[in-house]
Amino acid sequence: MQPLILASASPRRQELLTLLNLPFTTFPTDVDETLPDSISPIEAVQQLAYKKAEAALQAHNGSIIIGCDTIVVHNNHILGKPADREDALQMLSQLSNETHDVYTGVCILSNQQTLLFYERTEVTFWELTQQEILAYIESGEPFDKAGSYGIQGKAALFVKGIRGDYYNVVGLPISRLQRELSAFANS
Ligand SMILES: Cc1cn([C@H]2C[C@H](O)[C@@H](COP(=O)(O)OP(=O)(O)OP(=O)(O)O)O2)c(=O)[nH]c1=O
């Protein structure tokens, strides 16, 4: 197989990809993640995953690249990473006592082929008090995460229920990726 490269700075994605038992290296990209207002969540995550993979392929011709993007969607609003504490407070208050969707788009890209897919996971939060939200923001955990929370961290305590792949929420739908990657390598 051609060299495998994960186009990501996320340590969580890196850790999850090791589950496949395949040698890989990482190449973080710095693409502009601004989205047009009218874009759907499915288009948004796949478009950004493709952008990240494409940027990495330019630097690693001949490799197989994996690019990913994760967003939170509540009431048709796309929530990315919070800009500041105020933004995190607003997002977490919005998610309290509600169900939202987490979408991760994945792009597998080589010089010859492009494969795009996405996974959606439904997450329901308990009702959160202002005090709980402020303490969570104080922990610093929200700032590099879509929707201002990490299900794998202290925000585990916010989660009443989940439907779909847990690892998709963390940023990499690893079981689907394994299947898509072997289809990609065999086609
Ligand atoms: C909802 C949620 C998101 N996240 C993370 C996954 C992603 O890393 C991040 C969303 O930002 P992304 O832009 O998808 O990824 P990133 O900037 O961290 O890494 P890169 O672009 O280099 O691949 O939010 C969690 O870790 N836990 C969660 O529960």
Side-chain angles (χ1 to χ4, degrees), residues 7-10 12-13 28-29 33 52 68-72 81 102 144-147 149-152 169-171:
S8 176
S10 159
R12 303 166 289 266
R13 291 194 173 122
T29 63
E33 297 197 28
K52 292 176 190 181
C68 320
D69 195 74
T70 301
I71 55 170
V72 165
K81 295 174 192 167
V102 181
D144 59 345
K145 299 182 185 76
Y149 76 92
I151 198 168
Q152 71 276 26
V169 184
V170 182

Side-chain angles (χ1 to χ4, degrees), residues 31-124:
V31 305
D32 178 9
E33 297 197 28
T34 321
L35 293 167
D37 281 346
S38 57
I39 198 164
S40 75
I42 294 168
E43 282 173 326
V45 287
Q46 294 190 134
Q47 212 176 85
L48 289 177
Y50 177 76
K51 258 181 138 176
K52 292 176 190 181
E54 196 192 25
L57 186 63
Q58 273 174 20
H60 297 275
N61 225 4
S63 298
I64 295 178
I65 315 284
I66 299 170
C68 320
D69 195 74
T70 301
I71 55 170
V72 165
V73 180
H74 178 253
N75 279 349
N76 295 320
H77 287 114
I78 294 182
L79 310 180
K81 295 174 192 167
D84 51 29
R85 298 156 77 92
E86 198 48 48
D87 203 17
L89 175 62
Q90 203 278 324
M91 285 193 207
L92 291 166
S93 307
Q94 184 180 338
L95 299 179
S96 168
N97 209 20
E98 291 279 328
T99 296
H100 62 270
D101 291 317
V102 181
Y103 288 85
T104 295
V106 179
C107 177
I108 308 175
L109 187 69
S110 70
N111 294 108
Q112 297 78 27
Q113 288 181 79
T114 307
L115 192 159
L116 280 164
F117 70 91
Y118 74 93
E119 280 287 317
R120 181 179 74 90
T121 305
E122 213 176 85
V123 180
T124 303

